[in-house]
Amino acid sequence: MDKLVIRGGRPLAGTLRVGGAKNAALPAMAACLLTADPVTLENIPDVRDIQTTRRLLETMGVATDAGAGRAKHRIGLHAEFILHPEAPYELVKTMRASTLVLGPLVARKGEARVSLPGGCAIGARPIDLHLKGLEALGAAITQDHGYVVARAGRLRGAHYRFDRITVTGTEDVLMAATLAEGETVLENCAQEPEVVDLAALLTKMGARIHGAGTPTITVQGVARLHGADHRIIPDRIEAGTFIVAGLITGGDVKVTHCEPRHLEALLVVLQQAGAQVSVGEDEVQVRGVERLRAVPVATAEYPGFATDLQAQYMALMTQAEGTAAITETIFENRFMHALELNRMGANIRLEGRRALVAGPTPLSGAAVLASDLRASASLVLAALAADGETIIDRIYHLDRGYEKLEEKLRAAGAAIRRVGDLIPARGAKAG
Ligand code: EPZ
């Protein structure tokens, strides 16, 4: 199992280039199921969740063609025939976003069999709101041996309000509605940029959608969708992670190929904390300052402070003057990184959904464990600021959503390297 070895204390300097948004690419790949024509997607990040989704689509009978070399961030998807409208447990258990195939399969094929995702490290993460939305469109949903089975004739447009805001729930039901008969009005929708990007792709495919990016989305169903080419938006979470990396190391970093508009909630808080941030058209320049001020944050659905940046922000607040109260309102168990940060010298007290980060505390390198994708990023950031060497184990979590993170950080001056098993697995030849 790969590990990252990081020697901290070196200010980052130079450029960190942002890739395509994993959480926009995943629904976009699922959208190819809605048409028998080929779909080409650009700016796709080369990360594990994308590889998992490509494998999942191939098991259904989708022809895929991932570019190589310079074209490696391009993927061609052709769902001319969907032979097996099923998402097996082996794949869904590694990536819950596989449930994004549910809506497209029911809409295109009239049937879908998708393994229930089960919980994950950050919470129970049910999909009840996805299922209620598809039932509202006329799908018959049953559960069978850990699988959700959905069947429908042609879906019918409906008026459906999400009980609570759900990003992939909005995306799943939106995709199904594009092929439903008549008008669908979806209320209390997620407004994330990834939802807007999906709607842009669907519109290029011939869907008739209004209101993406607002709480109410209206869809006029069409009989079929056609192929399209689409470039995925930049990854706002990778961009935010890089911005924090520049600040926590007291460096001078330009984060490029990003969309600053998608980072407003983070940038406002960082400016309140005293960070030097300058924003360009598609880049953000950050300079670490002597001392940041602690600023409280509560995560919220977009355009609020992203839950996917909470762990990274917590690492930064260990170096800020004062006590920052960080409230996680989206997931019930998203503070695992706090326990590992404390082992590195942080002073974080957990009170239910609130974490109180008292700073500044000097961090020292330690052997730590990654527990989920963004917690892993938080540990990398802390390690970059820590005195001495940190070894982060189970970084397969990180590889799900960050492409070559150690290479990008090394190019900006970090002392970071990836190592395989420090102790060769039993029976393996010692290297
Ligand atoms: C998306 O997950 C993202 N994943 C997550 O990013 C992100 O943390 C999350 O949105 C919140 O922004 C993708 O887009 C692939 P939700 P999603 O449905 O859609 C509850 C990362 O690090 N809920 O918006 O699964 C749920 O339990 C990942 O890249 C229900 O109760 O999140 C949670 O408490 C982690 N029933 C809340 O709603 C449902 O049917 C928000 O979840 C659906 C969700």
Side-chain angles (χ1 to χ4, degrees):
M1 214 178 293
D2 283 2
K3 296 172 174 58
L4 282 182
V5 179
I6 300 168
R7 178 160 293 285
R10 300 163 66 137
L12 295 189
T15 298
L16 286 169
R17 176 172 180 151
V18 175
K22 161 181 88 83
N23 290 349
L26 296 176
M29 291 174 77
C32 83
L33 295 164
L34 290 165
T35 176
D37 294 349
V39 173
T40 302
L41 301 172
E42 306 271 354
N43 204 28
I44 295 283
D46 184 13
V47 297
R48 258 160 48 96
D49 277 6
I50 298 300
Q51 293 149 18
T52 303
T53 303
R54 187 180 161 202
R55 245 193 350 269
L56 170 61
L57 293 173
E58 286 172 347
T59 62
M60 292 179 189
V62 176
T64 74
D65 165 32
R70 284 175 52 80
K72 76 177 174 133
H73 293 126
R74 175 188 308 139
I75 189 165
L77 301 165
H78 193 183
E80 187 174 5
F81 307 104
I82 300 175
L83 308 174
H84 310 287
E86 172 162 335
Y89 175 66
E90 294 67 37
L91 284 171
V92 175
K93 73 180 177 186
T94 66
M95 187 189 66
R96 57 179 274 77
S98 310
T99 47
L100 280 166
V101 302
L102 200 51
L105 285 177
V106 174
R108 169 87 186 281
K109 283 289 284 181
E111 59 173 312
R113 191 167 180 276
V114 174
S115 166
L116 278 162
C120 78
I122 62 179
R125 301 187 74 185
I127 58 167
D128 55 313
L129 302 177
H130 299 230
L131 304 180
K132 279 187 201 151
L134 295 176
E135 281 177 331
L137 295 177
I141 307 273
T142 53
Q143 293 198 11
D144 165 43
H145 296 90
Y147 279 74
V148 166
V149 179
R151 283 198 178 74
R154 182 168 184 203
L155 294 175
R156 288 184 317 282
H159 198 135
Y160 172 68
R161 177 180 177 76
F162 288 94
D163 297 345
R164 72 175 289 182
I165 294 171
T166 159
V167 176
T168 51
T170 299
E171 292 164 346
D172 223 346
V173 180
L174 171 60
M175 285 191 278
T178 59
L179 292 179
E181 186 161 6
E183 177 176 86
T184 295
V185 177
L186 302 176
E187 290 195 270
N188 199 26
C189 294
Q191 305 176 65
E192 270 68 2
E194 293 76 27
V195 173
V196 176
D197 201 37
L198 173 63
L201 165 61
L202 294 170
T203 302
K204 286 180 187 172
M205 294 168 67
R208 295 169 56 199
I209 300 169
H210 298 279
T214 76
T216 302
I217 301 178
T218 305
V219 183
Q220 303 299 333
V222 293
R224 70 180 54 74
L225 295 180
H226 51 72
D229 295 349
H230 182 68
R231 183 173 179 79
I232 298 295
I233 53 170
D235 192 319
R236 59 195 168 98
I237 306 304
E238 185 184 31
T241 305
F242 289 163
I243 288 169
V244 171
L247 293 174
I248 201 169
T249 58
D252 182 348
V253 160
K254 185 187 289 187
V255 177
T256 64
H257 296 81
C258 66
E259 176 48 82
R261 274 183 311 116
H262 295 160
L263 288 158
E264 260 167 40
L266 173 69
L267 295 176
V268 163
V269 167
L270 293 180
Q271 269 146 358
Q272 287 169 357
Q276 277 190 26
V277 179
S278 53
V279 174
E281 179 65 26
D282 67 348
E283 59 187 41
V284 174
Q285 178 90 34
V286 285
R287 285 180 189 81
V289 294
E290 192 48 39
R291 188 58 77 218
L292 287 173
R293 291 184 294 277
V295 173
V297 148
T299 63
E301 295 87 357
Y302 194 88
F305 191 99
T307 174
D308 290 352
L309 286 172
Q310 177 259 104
Q312 299 89 320
Y313 183 72
M314 186 182 289
L316 181 64
M317 284 296 106
T318 66
Q319 302 310 299
E321 195 84 46
T323 296
I326 299 176
T327 307
E328 173 54 60
T329 69
I330 306 291
F331 290 110
E332 63 266 30
N333 184 31
R334 202 169 197 179
F335 284 147
M336 260 94 56
H337 43 285
L339 309 176
E340 294 298 288
L341 293 173
N342 281 346
R343 294 186 54 245
M344 296 175 72
N347 176 1
I348 304 167
R349 201 169 73 248
L350 298 182
E351 294 174 350
R353 292 272 186 134
R354 241 169 42 127
L356 298 173
V357 187
T361 53
L363 297 177
S364 58
V368 292
L369 273 189
S371 55
D372 63 82
L373 171 53
R374 306 303 172 184
S376 321
S378 166
L379 298 179
V380 171
L381 295 169
L384 291 172
D387 173 41
E389 184 172 273
T390 298
I391 299 178
I392 305 176
D393 201 352
R394 300 187 186 169
I395 57 162
Y396 57 85
H397 290 292
L398 204 64
D399 295 337
R400 293 190 50 179
Y402 290 93
E403 181 178 344
K404 295 191 173 39
L405 181 63
E406 71 271 19
E407 288 181 22
K408 293 185 178 182
L409 291 174
R410 191 161 49 234
I416 178 172
R417 60 194 166 86
R418 178 184 289 253
V419 294
D421 264 339
L422 295 178
I423 303 155
R426 188 188 307 279
K429 285 207 178 341

